[in-house]
Amino acid sequence: MNTSPRPAATAAKAEAQSSGGASLFSVIVIILAFIISYIVYKFVFGDGSHFQGGNSENNPNPGDYLGVIYKGGVIVPFLLTMFLCVITFSIERMLTIAKAKGSKGIESFVRTVRQKLNANDINGALAACDAQKGSVANVVKAGLMKYNEMTRERNMTTDQKVLAIQKEIEESTALELPMLEKNLVIISTIASIATLTGLLGTVFGMIRAFAALAQAGTPDAVALANGISEALINTALGIGTSALAIVAYNYFTSKIDELTYSIDEAGFSIIQTFAGQHGQTTATQTV
């Protein structure tokens, strides 16, 4: 009995190599994002032209929000890093998912495959997969190749053949889906911690503002207002970054669900077509 299943060790090895590459990419992106954020914070927001007397130690110029952001403190570079990571990983996910979809629309591709299967044109369905490319086409092509193999198999029952095709589709899907979900965990993590980081910066800023006010000995409404506005900059950056990350995560999750549904639909069509066209023949041979 030759079902030619893909070895589990091969699948695990491929997934491990892919995961390792993704982890290295993620680390590099985070490090570069922090370096860029610190440079922007120190030399753009902290430029003397944004402050009274040309000194970043003084209060920001009236209406100069870049100076106000700089006064947000050491938490600002970390918030900027999160923001850049969300932007970078979102662009990377867009490119990956667009590539996974292939050259044409998914619905049109699945419909074409179903039409070819109903006409028993397996070679035409395989040609459609080659033209489509992408993760969905790769999974469907693997199922179709197993379909072809099972049509020539004489030592297995229909149920065994159907199970072999289903297993092939599931294994191919297991290899393709992790690629689509890479780095989403980073986006979801940023969505959770960006707001908390912003609030932490706000607390630090409020502590500094009231400490400076207490040391002055007399109430200074201007100094207090500046301190509060500087502190709230962290909250604004944190909430904005978190909101962007939540939107990006939900968007990409919905797109991956669409691809998964398309794979399931195409796989179901392959299995049903095989069972319908070869079940009766096999049963007659068995009798």
Side-chain angles (χ1 to χ4, degrees):
M1 184 182 300
N2 180 23
T3 59
S4 300
R6 181 181 289 105
T10 303
K13 182 178 179 181
E15 185 174 351
Q17 291 176 345
S18 177
S19 176
S23 299
L24 179 60
F25 171 77
S26 302
V27 170
I28 293 174
V29 167
I30 293 173
I31 292 175
L32 289 178
F34 179 77
I35 293 173
I36 294 173
S37 298
Y38 182 79
I39 291 174
V40 171
Y41 170 75
K42 192 70 176 178
F43 299 103
V44 177
F45 297 157
D47 185 81
S49 62
H50 302 303
F51 301 91
Q52 298 175 3
N55 187 348
S56 60
E57 297 296 327
N58 297 331
N59 291 328
N61 293 324
D64 195 326
Y65 288 100
L66 295 183
V68 173
I69 293 175
Y70 177 80
K71 286 296 185 177
V74 295
I75 298 295
V76 172
F78 294 98
L79 291 171
L80 291 177
T81 299
M82 295 180 192
F83 177 79
L84 290 179
C85 284
V86 171
I87 296 297
T88 302
F89 289 127
S90 294
I91 294 174
E92 186 265 340
R93 285 297 87 195
M94 285 183 181
L95 296 176
T96 300
I97 292 177
K99 183 178 179 180
K101 287 182 177 180
S103 58
K104 300 178 182 178
I106 293 296
E107 294 181 359
S108 176
F109 167 69
V110 173
R111 184 166 55 251
T112 300
V113 170
R114 295 180 68 177
Q115 291 173 350
K116 298 294 185 182
L117 287 174
N118 291 333
N120 199 26
D121 184 9
I122 304 302
N123 292 331
L126 287 170
C129 293
D130 291 334
Q132 176 73 11
K133 300 179 181 179
S135 297
V136 177
N138 291 340
V139 174
V140 174
K141 184 176 181 179
L144 291 172
M145 292 178 68
K146 178 61 71 172
Y147 184 110
N148 260 343
E149 180 183 337
M150 290 298 101
T151 58
R152 298 187 296 269
E153 178 62 50
R154 294 293 180 266
N155 298 322
M156 299 172 62
T157 65
T158 300
D159 290 341
Q160 290 174 327
K161 293 178 181 180
V162 168
L163 184 61
I165 296 173
Q166 183 177 1
K167 182 178 179 181
E168 182 70 17
I169 294 173
E170 290 176 351
E171 289 179 348
S172 299
T173 303
L175 289 176
E176 294 289 344
L177 283 185
M179 180 190 69
L180 301 177
E181 297 173 348
K182 288 174 186 175
N183 300 325
L184 284 185
V185 65
I186 297 178
I187 296 178
S188 66
T189 301
I190 292 176
S192 300
I193 68 173
T195 302
L196 296 177
T197 305
L199 291 174
L200 180 64
T202 299
V203 171
F204 287 161
M206 295 295 288
I207 291 174
R208 289 196 302 269
F210 283 105
L213 187 61
Q215 292 175 1
T218 58
D220 187 344
V222 175
L224 182 59
N226 285 336
I228 294 175
S229 65
E230 293 162 6
L232 292 178
I233 283 295
N234 290 288
T235 302
L237 288 175
I239 292 176
T241 301
S242 179
L244 180 62
I246 291 172
V247 171
Y249 179 81
N250 289 335
Y251 173 79
F252 294 125
T253 300
S254 66
K255 290 299 180 182
I256 292 173
D257 289 341
E258 290 179 8
L259 293 178
T260 303
Y261 175 78
S262 299
I263 291 174
D264 292 340
E265 184 180 2
F268 180 78
S269 297
I270 293 173
I271 294 172
Q272 288 297 104
T273 301
F274 185 90
Q277 294 184 356
H278 298 274
Q280 185 63 36
T281 302
T282 306
T284 302
Q285 291 176 350
T286 304
V287 174

